[in-house]
Amino acid sequence: MMVARLSRYTIIIISISVMGIYMPHFYWKAFGTSPWRTLLLYSSPYQKFVYKEIKVAHRFRYGDETGKMYDRKGFEELLPFLYWKNLDKMGKLPITIDGGTYDEDVIKKGRQSFELMPRMFPDKHPQIKLYPMFDTKRDVALLQFPKEMFRITDGRMEFITASTNTIDEHLSDMLTNALKTEGFTFPARLIAGKTTSMKPFDEGYFIVDGKNRVYHLKRVDNGPVCIRTPIPENIGIRNIRISENNRREFYGTLLTNSGQLYLISYDNYRLIPLPLENYNPDTMDLKMLVNPVYRTITYSDENRVYAVATDRDYNVIARYHRDMPVVNGKLVKTAYSVLFLFSIQPKPDTKISRYMSFDILTNGWPGLIGIAASILIYIAYMRIKKYNMKANWFDLVVILFTGLYGLIAAMIIRPEPWD
Amino acid sequence: MENIIEVRKLYHSYGKHVIYEGLNFTVERGRIFGLLGKNGVGKTTLINILMGFLHPTSGRCLVLGEDSHNLSPETRGKIGLLHEGHLAYEFMTIAQIERYYSGYYHDWNRDWYYELIDMMGLSYNHKISKMSCGQRSQVVLGLILAQNPELMILDDYSMGLGAGYRRLFLDYLTEYVKNGDKTVFVTSHIVQDLEKLVDDIIFIGKGGYLLQTLLIEFMDSFKQYRFKNGKGVKLPGKDDIIKNVEIIGDKVSVYTFESKEPAREHLMKKGVETVDFEEVPMTLEDAFIGLMGRY
Amino acid sequence: MIRSTFYKEWLKIRYYVLGALVFNILFFIYLFFDIREPFQNGPAIMAWYSAIHIHTIFYEKIKYLLPATGILIGIAQFIPEITKSRLRMSLHLPVNPNLLILSYVCIGIAAVIVIGIIDIILFYIIVIKFFPKEVSSSALMTGLPWFYSGLVAYLATTQVILETKSGRRIFYAVIFCRFIGLFFMSNEYSSYAHVTERLFLISLLFIPAIFFPLYRFRNGGIE
C-alpha cells in the first residue's frame, strides 16, 4: 500500500520533469513569435550608429540612432566599407572620408572581423585537447595539414602520428625541449590556437603554463619557434582566442577573469584593452569590425545590444545601445508565468554553451496564481470523484510546488478509488 | 466449523454497472463448494475477488481469515489456484515447471506431480506449449496437488477438457479431499460434473441473486412439475414460489421449492389449470437451468 | 525462492538476451569497419581532425543500440506475463509481490547491464585502436547517456506493459519516450559531462515506479 503510494509519486515526479521541459517549449511554439535581432553598425561617413533589425532572415528594418528609417539602399550607402561592392558597381570608388581616400585595395586590406561568443570559452564547450601543429614552410604559401596531433601532459609535449596512432618521440622531444629551454612549467593551463588550415598563415599556439606565463609556440621549416611573451602572469587569463589575419595587427583576443577583453598586439604582445562597458562575456555575443578608419565593437544579449566605435588607436569615439524589439505581448508573457511556475531548460542557446545543463528556471510571482488555481481545481476534482482527500494530501503538496504540471500529473495518474 | 471463505456485504460495480450488491456467503473447512452461474453474472469477478486480483468496491472478502486482496505470502502458500484455461508458463518443460514451483513451497510433494505426469507418458523435456489442453490440465493439477494447499480455488477446470481428462481430474480431487481437512471452491460450466463432486452449491444470478445450499438438500427440495398446455390454459407467472416457467411443446414446466400438492394449490389459486400434473426427475443441470433460466 | 525466480526469468528471456547480445556484437563489428573506412580511404589525420575539431560524432550509429536492446528485453520479459494475465501466477506465489517484481526487474536490468558492459568494452577497444586515449574517453563520455538510456528504456517498457489501462499506458508511453529523448538531445561530444549524474539519479526513480502499475494490476488488472 505504502510502497504503491510512494511509487505513484515517483511516476508523478518523472512526468512533471518531462512536462517541465516540453510544455513551455510547446507554449512558445504555439503562442510565441520569433524575436527580432538587432545589428548595430557605425557609419564611417556619417559618424553615427545605424541599425538593422532582422526577423527570421526575411524581414528587415533599417534605421539610425536619431530615429530616422531607411530603405535597404539608403542603409547600405551609410556603410561604404561594408558595402563597397555596391559603390564599385556604381563607379563611386574610391571614396573620401575625413580627408582620407580609400580605393578597393585599401578597403579590402583594411578589413577584419571576428566574433566572440560565450560558447567559445573552454568551460562552455567540450574540446578534446589534441591539436594539429602546422609547419610553416617559408617557401610554400599554402598551409599543409600536419600528420600528427599533440597533447601536453604533466611533463612534456607529445606528438601522436595519426596513421599509426603512436607517439613520435623525435618530434615530441624537439618541441618539449624548445618549451623547456624558455622555462616552460608543465602542465599547460590553456592551449589556444586556430586549428584549421583555412587561414592565410599560421601563428601556432599560445600556451599558458603552470605558472600562468604565456608562451607562443609555432613550427617553422620543421623547427620549433618558442617565445616567452611579456604578458603579465598575474593578469588572470580566462581565455585566449587566436585568429590569424593578413593585417597582422593583433594575434587575437585575451579575456581575463574579471571580464576585461584585450587584443594581443603584434607589437611585442602588447595588450590593447578594448573599451567595453557593461560587457558580460558569459551571456553576450561580441563582434568586432575593423575598417580602414574605425573599429566597431558590438556586444549583445537577448535584451540589449551595445556598441562602441573607436579610432585606429582604440580611443572611444562614440557609444550607443539599443533594446531589442519586444515581440511577445504582455498577455502571452503573463499567461506563461501563470501557467508555468518553472521550466526546465535542457540546454542553453548554442551561442552560450554547448553543454547540456537541465537548468530549472523559475518564471516569477504570477506562478502563485497558477498554483492557487491548480490546488482549487484539484480539490474540486477530488470532491467530485469522491477521492479520499486525507489519504492523498501529498498530492496537494506536489501541486503546491509544481503548479499546473503537478495538477495534470496528479489527475492523470490519479489515486486508486479505495486509497 | 471454521470458515475458510467469508464474504460479507460484498459490493462491486464497474462504473455504473453494479455486479453485486451486498453479497454474503461462507465456505466451511473440509467442504467442496461449487459456484454456479451463467456467463455474465459476475462469476469471474467473484473468482478474481476471491483470488485477490480485484479490489471490491466495498465489503469484505476474507480467505483463511485475511483480506483476499491483501493476503500474506504465508496464506497464499496455503491456497492453490487454478486459473481459467489452465494457465501455465508455456515456455517451460514438464521438469522445469516442477523445479520452478518447488522452490517456493516448503512441503512440496513432487511425487504427486510426477504420478499424474507419468500417466501421460510424455518426456519430462516436453514443452508445455506443445501440449494439448488436457495434458496441460494434468500439469497444472499436478502442480497444485504437489503444493498440498489447504484451499483450492479452481476456475472452470473443465474448460477444453475431454471426458477422460475431466473424469481423471475429478477422481484426483475426490481423493484429495477425502481426509476432510481440505477445502475446494470450484466453478465449472459443465454442471453435471459437479453433481458427483460438490457438497455445497452457490448459485449466483443476475443482479447479485444468490442461493447457498447443500447439493443434496437442493436436489431434494427443488422440483420440476409438468402439466398439459392447451388452448385457453392460463400460464403462471414467476413469483416467490414459482421460480421459473418453461413451455416445451404441449407441456408447461414450473420449478419450485414446494412439494407437489402445495405447488399445485398455489397454481390453482392463481387460476392455472393443472391437467396431468406430475413431478419430473432432474439432474443438477436440469435444476440449474430451471433455477437460473435458459438464457 | 530467489533461485526459482531467477530460473524462470532466465528460461523466459534467455534466447532474447543471447539474440540481443549477438546482435550487439555484430553491430560493433560493423562499427569497426565503419570507423576504419576513412582511415583507409584518406589521410588518418583528417579522420582525427573531423572527430576532434569538427566535432563529428563518428560513432553515432550506436546511439539507439542499447535502448533498443532494453526495450526488447522488457518486451520479452513482460509481454508473456500480461498475455492471459499470467502475472497472476507469480502474484499468487508465497512471496511479497513487490519484492518479486523487483527481482524480475533486477534480472532484466542485469541482462541489460551485462550487454551494456560488453558493448562499452567493445566500443572502447575499437575507438582506442584508431584514436588517442582522449578521443576514446570522450567517446565513452558521449556514449554513456546512450548506454544508460538502455536501462531507462527497459524500465519504461516494463511499466508501459504492466499498466492495465490503455489510456494511461499511452500517457506513460509518451512521457517515458520524451524522458528517454533527454539522453539524445545533443549532437556534441561529451556534452552531458555536467549533467550525467543528475540525469542518472532522476532516472533511478524508474525503479520504484514499477510498484504502482503492479499495484493496479493486482487490484483490478484482470477483467
Side-chain angles (χ1 to χ4, degrees):
Chain A
M1 255 306 252
M2 194 62 194
V3 174
R5 188 166 290 172
L6 288 176
S7 170
R8 173 172 166 256
Y9 289 115
T10 61
I11 306 180
I12 287 178
I13 292 170
I14 292 169
S15 307
I16 290 172
S17 36
V18 170
M19 285 191 275
I21 291 174
Y22 290 101
M23 280 174 52
H25 178 75
F26 293 144
Y27 179 89
W28 288 123
K29 264 230 154 85
F31 303 111
T33 26
S34 49
W36 290 84
R37 282 191 304 120
T38 306
L39 282 181
L40 279 185
L41 296 151
Y42 189 68
S43 165
S44 306
Y46 297 92
Q47 308 220 333
K48 60 188 170 193
F49 285 98
V50 296
Y51 67 84
K52 179 181 184 179
E53 288 174 340
I54 307 162
K55 183 169 185 167
V56 216
H58 292 300
R59 289 169 64 194
F60 302 97
R61 288 199 298 238
Y62 308 95
D64 68 21
E65 57 180 297
T66 64
K68 198 174 159 195
M69 303 299 285
Y70 299 88
D71 61 5
R72 184 176 153 188
K73 192 163 166 287
F75 178 77
E76 291 183 356
E77 276 171 9
L78 298 173
L79 302 159
F81 289 122
L82 212 56
Y83 298 104
W84 60 271
K85 276 185 182 157
N86 294 349
L87 300 174
D88 194 26
K89 272 182 206 155
M90 292 184 284
K92 286 186 180 169
L93 282 184
I95 51 169
T96 307
I97 290 167
D98 274 351
T101 310
Y102 306 93
D103 63 8
E104 181 184 337
D105 198 41
V106 176
I107 293 172
K108 268 186 177 168
K109 282 186 176 156
R111 277 156 46 98
Q112 184 176 356
S113 69
F114 71 83
E115 195 173 7
L116 196 60
M117 290 184 274
R119 74 134 186 265
M120 292 172 177
F121 304 135
D123 55 332
K124 297 290 174 65
H125 78 281
Q127 178 59 55
I128 296 169
K129 292 191 169 56
L130 290 166
Y131 309 89
M133 180 67 91
F134 292 92
D135 185 14
T136 306
K137 309 281 185 202
R138 287 190 214 277
D139 49 351
V140 183
L142 206 69
L143 272 180
Q144 273 227 314
F145 218 90
K147 289 185 168 49
E148 60 286 303
M149 286 206 188
F150 73 84
R151 67 165 74 101
I152 296 180
T153 68
D154 285 351
R156 67 166 184 166
M157 194 167 179
E158 274 176 2
F159 282 80
I160 312 133
T161 309
S163 53
T164 58
N165 199 13
T166 52
I167 292 172
D168 181 334
E169 293 293 344
H170 171 72
L171 200 58
S172 302
D173 288 346
M174 187 169 82
L175 273 292
T176 304
N177 288 337
L179 280 174
K180 277 189 175 163
T181 310
E182 290 297 311
F184 188 91
T185 309
F186 287 94
R189 256 198 58 224
L190 183 75
I191 301 170
K194 199 168 182 177
T195 54
T196 171
S197 59
M198 304 296 200
K199 53 186 183 182
F201 57 92
D202 178 58
E203 278 297 350
Y205 289 85
F206 280 66
I207 305 171
V208 181
D209 80 348
K211 290 183 173 164
N212 293 318
R213 294 174 298 215
V214 183
Y215 288 78
H216 183 193
L217 179 69
K218 56 183 170 178
R219 208 166 142 200
V220 179
D221 286 333
N222 208 21
V225 175
C226 182
I227 296 155
R228 182 180 160 184
T229 72
I231 295 171
E233 290 150 32
N234 57 1
I235 196 165
I237 298 169
R238 177 163 175 199
N239 188 36
I240 293 177
R241 195 164 169 82
I242 301 304
S243 182
E244 291 91 345
N245 184 282
N246 272 326
R247 289 180 60 251
R248 294 187 199 248
E249 184 198 352
F250 47 86
Y251 294 102
T253 55
L254 183 151
L255 179 75
T256 65
N257 291 330
S258 59
Q260 174 64 53
L261 190 65
Y262 295 97
L263 297 175
I264 307 170
S265 160
Y266 267 81
D267 171 22
N268 195 27
Y269 306 99
R270 185 169 59 84
L271 294 183
I272 304 163
L274 292 179
L276 310 176
E277 285 174 0
N278 303 313
Y279 172 55
N280 181 348
D282 287 313
T283 57
M284 289 177 166
D285 184 6
L286 178 140
K287 284 192 193 70
M288 176 158 160
L289 275 180
V290 175
N291 68 37
V293 191
Y294 300 113
R295 285 93 180 87
T296 315
I297 306 154
T298 60
Y299 42 104
S300 59
D301 56 24
E302 55 194 13
N303 301 318
R304 183 175 274 193
V305 52
Y306 296 88
V308 56
T310 75
D311 64 13
R312 285 170 206 162
D313 299 319
Y314 300 93
N315 299 309
V316 177
I317 294 172
R319 286 183 193 278
Y320 178 59
H321 65 79
R322 190 177 167 77
D323 289 332
M324 302 272 185
V326 175
V327 282
N328 287 310
K330 210 178 167 189
L331 181 68
V332 174
K333 280 188 187 165
T334 314
Y336 175 77
S337 314
V338 170
L339 287 175
F340 308 113
L341 183 65
F342 63 89
S343 54
I344 301 174
Q345 195 185 41
K347 51 181 171 184
D349 188 293
T350 48
K351 282 182 177 178
I352 306 288
S353 172
R354 300 284 286 158
Y355 280 109
M356 302 297 293
S357 63
F358 293 105
D359 288 325
I360 298 173
L361 312 173
T362 50
N363 297 327
W365 298 114
L368 295 180
I369 302 170
I371 290 178
S374 300
I375 287 183
L376 289 178
I377 292 171
Y378 195 66
I379 290 174
Y381 172 81
M382 298 280 275
R383 285 266 160 81
I384 291 165
K385 287 271 178 180
K386 298 199 176 73
Y387 283 125
N388 185 346
M389 189 88 73
K390 260 189 199 152
N392 297 293
W393 61 274
F394 196 72
D395 286 20
L396 292 175
V397 177
V398 171
I399 297 171
L400 185 67
F401 285 100
T402 59
L404 180 66
Y405 305 126
L407 176 70
I408 294 174
M411 278 172 69
I412 294 181
I413 308 166
R414 51 189 172 273
E416 300 304 303
W418 51 82
D419 278 353
Chain B
M1 276 295 243
E2 185 190 352
N3 285 334
I4 296 293
I5 298 175
E6 202 177 324
V7 171
R8 289 278 165 260
K9 291 182 186 165
L10 194 70
Y11 177 94
H12 195 79
S13 67
Y14 295 107
K16 282 190 177 148
H17 181 53
V18 178
I19 308 283
Y20 305 118
E21 243 175 320
L23 199 62
N24 293 299
F25 69 86
T26 52
V27 174
E28 289 167 356
R29 182 182 288 280
R31 321 275 306 178
I32 304 185
F33 260 77
L35 175 67
L36 285 178
K38 289 189 295 179
N39 290 334
V41 295
K43 220 167 36 179
T44 309
T45 302
L46 182 58
I47 285 285
N48 278 335
I49 291 174
L50 280 176
M51 288 183 169
F53 298 122
L54 187 62
H55 202 297
T57 310
S58 70
R60 299 187 76 181
C61 175
L62 299 180
V63 176
L64 295 172
E66 292 180 17
D67 256 337
S68 68
H69 62 270
N70 210 5
L71 294 177
S72 64
E74 297 73 46
T75 304
R76 279 203 301 273
K78 295 178 196 161
I79 303 169
L81 293 190
L82 183 139
H83 301 275
E84 199 177 358
H86 308 280
L87 209 54
Y89 293 113
E90 274 111 335
F91 56 85
M92 291 188 182
T93 64
I94 289 174
Q96 284 168 343
I97 202 163
E98 189 274 334
R99 198 177 142 197
Y100 166 63
Y101 274 107
S102 68
Y104 292 103
Y105 297 100
H106 296 301
D107 42 0
W108 183 258
N109 192 335
R110 75 189 291 271
D111 295 344
W112 290 3
Y113 175 73
Y114 280 109
E115 189 186 320
L116 268 168
I117 294 302
D118 289 341
M119 278 187 212
M120 296 189 287
L122 291 174
S123 149
Y124 292 173
N125 292 324
H126 201 91
K127 261 221 167 110
I128 294 170
S129 59
K130 289 181 183 141
M131 290 181 176
S132 72
C133 238
Q135 289 171 329
R136 202 168 66 230
S137 76
Q138 292 275 89
V139 172
V140 174
L141 180 64
L143 291 170
I144 296 176
L145 291 175
Q147 182 194 334
N148 194 17
E150 283 180 32
L151 167 67
M152 282 190 193
I153 301 177
L154 312 173
D155 190 9
D156 208 355
Y157 74 89
S158 50
M159 194 163 129
L161 297 192
Y165 278 114
R166 240 165 52 217
R167 173 58 56 84
L168 189 73
F169 203 105
L170 288 177
D171 288 348
Y172 266 84
L173 275 186
T174 315
E175 182 68 19
Y176 182 72
V177 295
K178 77 175 177 212
N179 287 341
D181 56 343
K182 309 287 189 188
T183 311
V184 175
F185 190 90
V186 60
T187 77
S188 171
H189 68 278
I190 300 186
V191 179
Q192 66 195 51
D193 277 0
L194 297 183
E195 196 167 358
K196 300 186 191 83
L197 181 71
V198 304
D199 310 320
D200 300 55
I201 285 192
I202 294 169
F203 291 100
I204 53 172
K206 271 179 207 150
Y209 168 80
L210 183 122
L211 174 70
Q212 179 176 0
T213 170
L214 289 173
L215 178 67
I216 306 169
E217 222 168 76
F218 175 68
M219 292 307 288
D220 199 39
S221 62
F222 195 57
K223 304 286 185 193
Q224 179 186 15
Y225 302 108
R226 194 177 280 173
F227 55 91
K228 212 169 166 183
N229 184 19
K231 266 189 185 153
V233 172
K234 192 184 167 200
L235 289 178
K238 279 195 258 183
D239 55 31
D240 285 348
I241 292 167
I242 308 295
K243 295 294 174 190
N244 209 350
V245 181
E246 275 175 1
I247 299 153
I248 306 148
D250 60 347
K251 303 276 188 193
V252 179
S253 285
V254 292
Y255 297 88
T256 177
F257 286 101
E258 291 296 333
S259 49
K260 195 169 173 180
E261 280 316 308
R264 191 170 189 178
E265 268 166 39
H266 177 74
L267 286 169
M268 306 259 275
K269 252 184 234 163
K270 292 178 81 178
V272 179
E273 258 182 81
T274 51
V275 183
D276 295 344
F277 195 78
E278 57 175 353
E279 188 183 335
V280 183
M282 290 193 292
T283 62
L284 178 59
E285 189 166 342
D286 297 333
F288 171 67
I289 292 168
L291 182 67
M292 311 303 285
R294 281 171 193 257
Y295 312 104
Chain C
M1 258 187 246
I2 298 279
R3 268 178 64 182
S4 274
T5 306
F6 185 85
Y7 179 64
K8 175 195 135 210
E9 292 306 298
W10 175 241
L11 287 177
K12 188 168 59 178
I13 63 173
R14 58 185 166 169
Y15 296 119
Y16 296 94
V17 172
L18 292 176
L21 182 62
V22 169
F23 182 78
N24 275 254
I25 291 171
L26 288 177
F27 201 92
F28 277 96
I29 293 172
Y30 165 72
L31 184 75
F32 171 82
F33 291 115
D34 194 56
I35 291 181
R36 195 181 63 166
E37 206 178 343
F39 286 86
Q40 293 201 315
N41 298 340
I45 192 74
M46 289 332 279
W48 281 25
Y49 183 69
S50 156
I52 297 165
H53 291 287
I54 307 291
H55 293 230
T56 311
I57 302 182
F58 58 92
Y59 39 82
E60 204 173 25
K61 291 192 175 79
I62 63 165
K63 251 185 176 180
Y64 302 111
L65 185 61
L66 212 59
T69 304
I71 290 171
L72 173 83
I73 293 176
I75 288 173
Q77 205 180 353
F78 286 95
I79 289 287
E81 293 291 347
I82 59 135
T83 35
K84 299 188 194 163
S85 299
R86 284 201 190 85
L87 191 60
R88 281 182 286 176
M89 293 190 282
S90 303
L91 293 177
H92 184 65
L93 292 171
V95 184
N96 179 320
N98 288 332
L99 287 181
L100 191 76
I101 199 81
L102 190 64
S103 48
Y104 284 4
V105 164
C106 284
I107 289 158
I109 287 177
V112 177
I113 286 180
V114 167
I115 295 178
I117 286 175
I118 292 171
D119 282 0
I120 287 173
I121 292 170
L122 290 174
F123 183 42
Y124 191 79
I125 290 173
I126 292 169
V127 178
I128 200 91
K129 168 139 184 41
F130 296 103
F131 290 93
K133 59 176 189 279
E134 286 89 342
V135 179
S136 320
S137 5
S138 157
L140 279 195
M141 183 73 234
T142 313
L144 211 56
W146 302 342
F147 289 126
Y148 193 81
S149 79
L151 289 179
V152 179
Y154 165 76
L155 289 166
T157 307
T158 61
Q159 305 243 16
V160 171
I161 294 176
L162 273 187
E163 170 56 45
T164 48
K165 298 281 187 301
S166 52
R168 186 137 353 154
R169 216 178 240 177
I170 291 166
F171 178 77
Y172 285 173
V174 170
I175 290 283
F176 296 163
C177 275
R178 286 296 186 175
F179 190 91
I180 293 165
L182 303 183
F183 293 86
F184 298 92
M185 287 184 108
S186 173
N187 50 7
E188 170 71 85
Y189 62 65
S190 305
S191 54
Y192 280 79
H194 305 325
V195 293
T196 310
E197 294 91 342
R198 209 177 313 170
L199 209 52
F200 286 11
L201 281 177
I202 190 159
S203 303
L204 288 181
L205 289 180
F206 274 91
I207 295 176
I210 195 77
F211 300 129
F212 187 60
L214 178 76
Y215 179 66
R216 284 166 56 76
F217 184 95
R218 283 171 54 205
N219 288 294
I222 305 143
E223 271 156 39

